[in-house]
Amino acid sequence: MSGRVLALLALAAVAVPGGPRSGWAFPGAGESPPGGVLLVEITPAEGVLQVAQAWFPGPAAGSRVFPLLLPEDGPGPEIRPAVGEDSGGLQVRGRGGARAEFRDGTLRLAGQPDGSGEFALEVTYRVPVTTSRLMFRVLVNDPLDRVQVIHQGGAHALHVRPLRPYAFREEDEGDGAWRYQDVPGPLRSGETLRVAVGRLPEARRPYRWAGAALLGTVGIFGLLVALRRRDGRGR
């Protein structure tokens, strides 16, 4: 999921304009993490926010509810697969043997890990902007070892803040500064993580840096390969 989450979290087969970026740090590249890891990128465009997520649930198999980050109030995505240019549903892609199931108004991750270490489900959706500030929340159904929230920095950047202690870093990746907010776990089953997003783009006015930020999409596979190489050099 950019040239790092917009270059790397994305649905290459059904790419939506301005799909996710690429530089998400993934612990234990080359094998599934012991517990769940949730990556989230929030990107503004004209009149909308795009939310891209990747969930690595850990090595256990079986059908589980995907931890969608959704607006607490106001319009949100429909929990159904998007079709073609339809932006009202969810663009979904499985990795490493994972597949998506829509059941009883929920998105579920199912399937069996194929041994590649890439067992994950990627989701992208859009939220219409009707206010200057939105509160998102995700209900944890399966424990998470870590959540990482990513957005682009700069003078006109979104204000993004997880409502839980987090570590922060900013990196210049060629197309501007990107901010990485790491929420350490454990986040246990039944907990709720809320993320405040402010300074939203106006509904009828282009966001000033949206054109630079929305660079297109590639699969998260490239991120995993890069991290494996980095880990190999570090040994």
Side-chain angles (χ1 to χ4, degrees), residues 55-58 60-62 64 66 92-101 108-116 118-122:
W55 180 37
F56 302 83
R64 285 159 289 179
F66 188 98
V92 183
R93 183 180 185 183
R95 292 281 184 183
R99 70 176 188 274
E101 292 181 346
R108 304 182 71 90
L109 179 150
Q112 296 280 345
D114 64 6
S116 67
E118 299 161 17
F119 189 65
L121 198 61
E122 303 171 2

Side-chain angles (χ1 to χ4, degrees), residues 8 15 19 33 35 53 63 81 86 91 97 113 131 137 155 164 183 187 213 219 224:
L8 290 184
Q53 297 183 237
S63 179
D86 172 21
Q91 300 276 9
T131 181
R137 63 178 292 178
R164 187 180 175 109
V183 179
L187 279 73
L224 297 170

Side-chain angles (χ1 to χ4, degrees), residues 70-73 133-137 163 194-197:
L70 298 172
E72 286 192 343
D73 299 299
R133 184 176 185 271
L134 278 174
M135 184 68 70
F136 288 81
R137 63 178 292 178
L163 302 188
R194 303 170 79 223
V195 178
V197 182

Side-chain angles (χ1 to χ4, degrees), residues 23-109:
W24 303 11
F26 174 64
E31 61 181 42
S32 295
V37 176
L38 180 66
L39 309 178
V40 179
E41 179 190 341
I42 301 174
T43 306
E46 184 175 354
V48 299
L49 289 182
Q50 179 166 277
V51 179
Q53 297 183 237
W55 180 37
F56 302 83
S63 179
R64 285 159 289 179
V65 176
F66 188 98
L68 280 170
L69 183 74
L70 298 172
E72 286 192 343
D73 299 299
E78 298 177 40
I79 311 303
R80 59 170 177 77
V83 179
E85 297 299 318
D86 172 21
S87 60
L90 306 176
Q91 300 276 9
V92 183
R93 183 180 185 183
R95 292 281 184 183
R99 70 176 188 274
E101 292 181 346
F102 289 86
R103 188 192 311 166
D104 301 325
T106 64
L107 169 64
R108 304 182 71 90
L109 179 150

Side-chain angles (χ1 to χ4, degrees), residues 150-220:
I150 304 168
H151 66 287
Q152 192 168 33
H156 306 289
L158 297 174
H159 288 174
V160 179
R161 184 169 63 91
L163 302 188
R164 187 180 175 109
Y166 62 88
F168 171 86
R169 76 180 190 277
E170 184 170 283
E171 296 182 3
D172 189 344
E173 299 174 9
D175 58 343
W178 284 83
R179 295 171 177 173
Y180 298 83
Q181 296 165 316
D182 284 289
V183 179
L187 279 73
R188 298 178 176 85
S189 179
E191 287 193 67
T192 297
L193 173 65
R194 303 170 79 223
V195 178
V197 182
R199 192 182 279 180
L200 301 185
E202 295 182 24
R204 295 177 299 277
R205 186 176 302 172
Y207 211 66
R208 297 187 186 181
W209 51 267
L214 305 183
L215 301 178
T217 66
V218 300
I220 201 166

